[in-house]
Amino acid sequence: MNPKRERAASKPPIPRGTLVFDTSAYAPADRLDAWTDHLSRTFATFDFNVSTNTPFYGRLETLSLGPLKVNRGDCSAAHWARLGRHLSDGRDDYGLCVALSGSYRLIQGDVDVIQQPNSYTLIDNGKISNVYANSNGVDYDIVVPRAALRNTQRVRALSSPPILNVDANAMRLLGIYIDSIYNSEADFSDPLLAAKTGEHLLDLIIMGLQPTAEAAERARDRGLRAARLRSILTEIQNSFAEPSLGPAALAARVHVSESYLHKLLEERGLVFSRIVMELRLGLAVSMLSDPRYHLVGIGDIARQSGFNDVSYFNRCFRAQFGMTPRDMRKGDHAIPLDRLPVRDAVLPEP
């Protein structure tokens, strides 16, 4: 059993500062009305036609990040209809839908498509639309103010929404950035942190929609740099236990040059080799102190922690903690608090 794999397999937590709405708190007969009312206050007004006789279910997690709202949710199979009479609600912003699982049919203007998992669609809430969603789909819907996208070529030239096939590279970084938010321990009820995080998300969305030259330069300086740093740190967090992980291999995985990788880390006072060493030693400490690994050999723990040389592992462990792994396992010594690996410092907040 590997603690790192256990963490990776767990469902992303709900970020602090998230508003959670779940229809399970209501009587079955009241759930659809409660869901419709909640959506009209947090997203936009819709009619819902449920395609099942079972009690309606809906859950929506809303995280406010500056000018944006990130909604993650799922509900019973339904037809979402935003009709002409709904447009007077004043919600003429855009909804960037990021499909995580399942599929849905979208009709808006002269567009009629089936959207599959890992696709992105920018829907104009200022126009009539119809969405037919199945019951096993989960997605993010990012509410983006219309004014925020004025300096993007595709939105300015738009005559028949929605926008499909948003720039893949910008959206890949957007997905990584969203994942890092949902795996963060930060408190996004802090308005300054929420605003800065929303600014980075907005920059990535803008980059996916062919921004004007001025908007592109601003977005590259803020959003893309932040997202690429997140991409680097997330990949380190996920792969540090691989003995072959080095800066060149990591740079290739996240599609940047090795020199740019080091530059982004250095801007935050981080060093690749030190980050990886702290993570590996931290995993070794957690395994050595866990009764479930009492019968696992020191060599096996070293290899599972990312060290392919046991002697080197022992030297690094002694240099960091002033004792050998065997000493720690026997409980003969306590690790000084100032020498414990600082695990939370690996992923700095944006």
Side-chain angles (χ1 to χ4, degrees):
M1 185 183 300
N2 188 317
K4 177 177 176 291
R5 291 198 182 97
E6 287 182 325
R7 289 193 300 273
S10 62
K11 182 181 178 180
I14 301 172
R16 284 188 286 171
T18 299
L19 172 66
V20 178
F21 179 82
D22 194 318
T23 59
S24 298
Y26 294 82
D30 298 329
R31 291 177 183 174
L32 187 57
D33 286 342
W35 174 257
T36 304
D37 180 62
H38 181 74
L39 263 290
S40 69
R41 286 182 282 108
T42 59
F43 193 9
T45 308
F46 298 90
D47 276 357
F48 281 85
N49 301 302
V50 182
S51 56
T52 177
N53 293 324
T54 59
F56 177 81
Y57 169 75
R59 176 182 173 88
L60 192 69
E61 301 166 2
T62 301
L63 182 61
S64 295
L65 298 172
L68 308 183
K69 280 189 174 66
V70 181
N71 295 299
R72 181 176 68 175
D74 65 299
C75 69
S76 299
H79 168 207
W80 300 47
R82 184 157 169 80
L83 306 174
R85 58 187 170 82
H86 297 133
L87 302 184
S88 61
D89 65 1
R91 303 304 296 270
D92 66 344
D93 39 24
Y94 293 99
L96 179 67
C97 184
V98 183
L100 301 179
S101 62
S103 61
Y104 60 92
R105 180 186 178 191
L106 170 65
I107 303 174
Q108 188 170 53
D110 58 1
V111 173
D112 185 346
V113 294
I114 302 294
Q115 291 297 104
Q116 300 296 339
N118 301 314
S119 64
Y120 303 83
T121 307
L122 186 72
I123 303 174
D124 187 346
N125 286 327
K127 298 190 177 181
I128 294 171
S129 63
N130 289 272
V131 175
Y132 298 85
N134 58 30
S135 59
N136 62 347
V138 178
D139 60 16
Y140 292 111
D141 286 292
I142 306 176
V143 181
V144 187
R146 180 174 293 269
L149 298 183
R150 282 180 183 150
N151 290 327
T152 55
Q153 306 283 12
R154 293 192 70 185
V155 170
R156 290 200 304 183
L158 191 63
S159 59
S160 180
I163 293 177
L164 310 174
N165 303 319
V166 183
D167 179 76
N169 187 52
M171 291 301 100
R172 179 183 64 83
L173 290 171
L174 177 69
I176 291 170
Y177 199 81
I178 292 175
D179 286 343
S180 75
I181 291 170
Y182 275 79
N183 284 284
S184 171
E185 295 183 358
D187 186 355
F188 291 98
S189 62
D190 177 349
L192 293 178
L193 176 61
K196 190 171 184 180
T197 304
E199 182 180 86
H200 292 160
L201 284 175
L202 179 58
D203 285 336
L204 290 170
I205 294 170
I206 288 172
M207 289 302 295
L209 296 169
Q210 298 177 5
T212 60
E214 181 182 354
E217 182 178 0
R218 184 170 58 250
R220 276 194 296 270
D221 287 343
R222 297 185 315 196
L224 285 184
R225 291 176 79 86
R228 283 176 175 142
L229 177 62
R230 283 282 186 168
S231 176
I232 290 166
L233 295 174
T234 299
E235 188 62 34
I236 292 175
Q237 188 84 47
N238 292 338
S239 309
F240 70 85
E242 299 175 13
S244 60
L245 183 69
L250 177 63
R253 292 185 190 184
V254 298
H255 310 291
V256 299
S257 69
E258 186 176 348
S259 60
Y260 187 58
L261 180 148
H262 287 301
K263 180 180 179 180
L264 288 176
L265 292 174
E266 288 168 3
E267 288 176 354
R268 298 300 296 268
L270 300 170
V271 178
F272 173 84
S273 59
R274 188 59 191 167
I275 295 173
V276 172
M277 181 61 69
E278 286 198 351
L279 284 168
R280 288 174 175 174
L281 290 175
L283 179 56
V285 166
S286 69
M287 295 176 74
L288 287 166
S289 57
D290 190 331
R292 294 177 297 175
Y293 296 89
H294 183 67
L295 298 179
V296 178
I298 298 295
D300 288 334
I301 286 178
R303 283 184 285 274
Q304 289 191 45
S305 301
F307 297 89
N308 52 16
D309 184 300
V310 180
S311 297
Y312 178 63
F313 168 64
N314 284 323
R315 290 197 302 273
C316 293
F317 199 95
R318 181 187 286 276
Q320 177 72 23
F321 305 123
M323 70 184 78
T324 66
R326 198 170 303 280
D327 290 336
M328 182 193 166
R329 168 170 275 175
K330 291 192 303 183
D332 292 344
H333 301 79
I335 296 177
L337 292 178
D338 62 350
R339 293 194 178 188
L340 282 172
V342 186
R343 300 290 294 280
D344 291 342
V346 175
L347 286 175
E349 296 308 329

